[in-house]
Amino acid sequence: MKSKIILLSMLLLNVLVFAQEEDAWVFFADKENVAQSIANPITILTQRAIDRKNNQGISIDERDVPVNEAYIFQIKNATGITVFAKSKWFNAIHVRGTQANISALETTFGFVSSIQFADSGLATLAPLAPVNKFEIEDTAIDFVYGDALNQVDMINADYLHEQDYTGTNILVAVIDAGFPNVNTMGAFQRLRDAGGLLDGYDFVDRTDDIYAYAGNSHGTRVLSTMAAYVENEYVGTAPDAKYYLFRTEDVASETPVEESYWVEAAERADSLGVDIINTSLGYKSYDNSNYSYNNEDLDGATAYITKGSNIAYEKGLLLVNSDGNSGSGGLGAPADSPEVMSIGAVDENGEYAYFSSQGSDYQPTQKPDVVARGQSAFLVDENNVISQNSGTSFSSPIMAGAMACFKQAFPNMSNDDLKQAVYESASQYNTPDYFLGYGIPNFENAVTTALSTNTLENEQLEVYPNPASQSVNFSLPVKIKQAKVYMFDILGKLVLEAAIDTTKHSINIGELPRGVYVLKVQSEDINFGTFKLIKD
């Protein structure tokens, strides 16, 4: 009997000690070599990232400079502290330890500017939390292409494919839970052969082995809706994009550190020049309820991951996120961000899927933004079997793949304008609600909107005559020496491409059929927008 009492006492002591462990963010006061790094951005960013920022007019600033590793080293050696993640955007690290040991960091180290506990009862910080994650319903089936076509055709992404916009040259980061077998599955053979499967990293286990089984295959399934290709049986929405794979979700538990892993992954995506991030994860309720968010916290500005998403968007990344699978329970973070495209789910008939998280007045902007098929969506599982699963986890990447193709078609449009064109194309744009948002997009209509929108200033470029029968002349601004002209028919098909400069300033359109065309003119530095041209 005595031994049982001792054992019970030990167990209670272990529980007590464990309960004293807290999660927190430790913010640093400064960084090293800031001015030098900004002056020489290639030392902290890839050329692709620099080019993407320049193309969007986004400045490189102190947030792009890495965290001081010497500071992190000292914190790692502090009593009772474990470091899990770091963020250059926030100049912070995510730590775990007792409240006393974490609080001591602020007085021990002069470079620590502040500490923010995940438990809002311990500090003035907003709590953090994920939503009911996946809710996958597996149904292995004998797949036929017509069934798979439904989720592509529903949003008219096949129109983009028909125009040869399949995601080429677009970089997509998939931030998820696990990617087993992606490096060996037949469904990704075409992607691998084309060099489309790029780098990856597991931020949870801190390993480059992104393809090892880590308790979940959710990421593999998510990726398949965009990148898988099985001849005559399955095609993802962006089969020719290139993909980085990042694991940030630990399915064994729900703790705020997963938000920190996500911010780290987003920062790496930014430094690599990624164009689009798809995240089929959400955060609202944690194992420790003290860390969980209330509905009021999902205001687009409170959760750590939401604040990270807002910075990511500011840095030029287009963010697509699953809305959540909580129905009337509401969405989670970072789907609450006004900058994030939050994707709800519908069934094969375009009707609201019962599990799709609903928006509310707590969000500052319309949520969800738009929807795609998420109920019984088709995908390829980790066993290379075409199957059906349900969840906004799949409506999100279906949409993200379509956005990759759309961005390929309009590489110089701002992310704001790309999103707006998609929203305006959706089925209930004029009457949005908390179930479907703006509704189901139609990417053919989005192309038409994009072609008719002058997205940047017209720097006094002149196009004449209009109407024209044989040739069209261009008068470039004095400071512009050369430019490219792209001519599209009313269906959005590119029918002519030509270079112009100060000596060759006209194009021949004599062989084109009569009708209405759209001209897009851009130089290396300026997008002059689009112009309607009538061919006699």
Side-chain angles (χ1 to χ4, degrees), residues 74-88:
Q74 293 180 63
I75 299 293
K76 284 182 176 179
N77 288 289
T79 302
I81 298 296
T82 303
V83 176
F84 284 89
K86 62 184 177 181
S87 167
K88 64 180 180 181

Side-chain angles (χ1 to χ4, degrees), residues 25-32 34 62-69 71-72 85-94 111-114 263 267 304 311:
W25 291 270
V26 177
F27 295 87
F28 297 150
D30 55 23
K31 294 181 176 181
E32 61 179 351
V34 172
E62 185 173 346
R63 290 173 298 180
D64 295 299
V65 178
V67 181
N68 190 324
E69 290 293 336
Y71 293 169
I72 298 176
K86 62 184 177 181
S87 167
K88 64 180 180 181
W89 290 343
F90 291 100
N91 196 20
I93 57 175
H94 188 117
F111 54 79
V112 173
S113 63
S114 63
V263 171
E267 290 177 357
Y304 184 78
I311 295 175

Side-chain angles (χ1 to χ4, degrees), residues 23 32 46 77 85 107 118 125 133 138 156-157 205 215 220 266 335 388 420 443 507 516:
D23 279 51
E32 61 179 351
T46 64
N77 288 289
T107 56
L125 215 230
K133 297 184 235 239
D138 286 333
N156 216 351
D205 290 336
T220 299
Q388 284 179 277
Q420 185 60 32
F443 275 90
I507 61 173
V516 178

Side-chain angles (χ1 to χ4, degrees), residues 329-344:
L331 46 76
D336 63 321
S337 166
E339 314 295 3
V340 169
M341 288 187 72
S342 306
I343 314 302

Side-chain angles (χ1 to χ4, degrees), residues 155-156 159-160 403 406 410 413 417-426 441-453:
I155 58 176
N156 216 351
Y159 170 78
L160 294 171
M403 290 303 296
F406 191 44
F410 299 96
M413 280 187 71
D417 287 334
L418 287 172
K419 291 194 300 180
Q420 185 60 32
V422 172
Y423 298 160
E424 289 182 18
S425 78
N442 181 325
F443 275 90
E444 182 175 359
N445 292 344
V447 166
T448 301
T449 298
L451 286 172
S452 63
T453 301

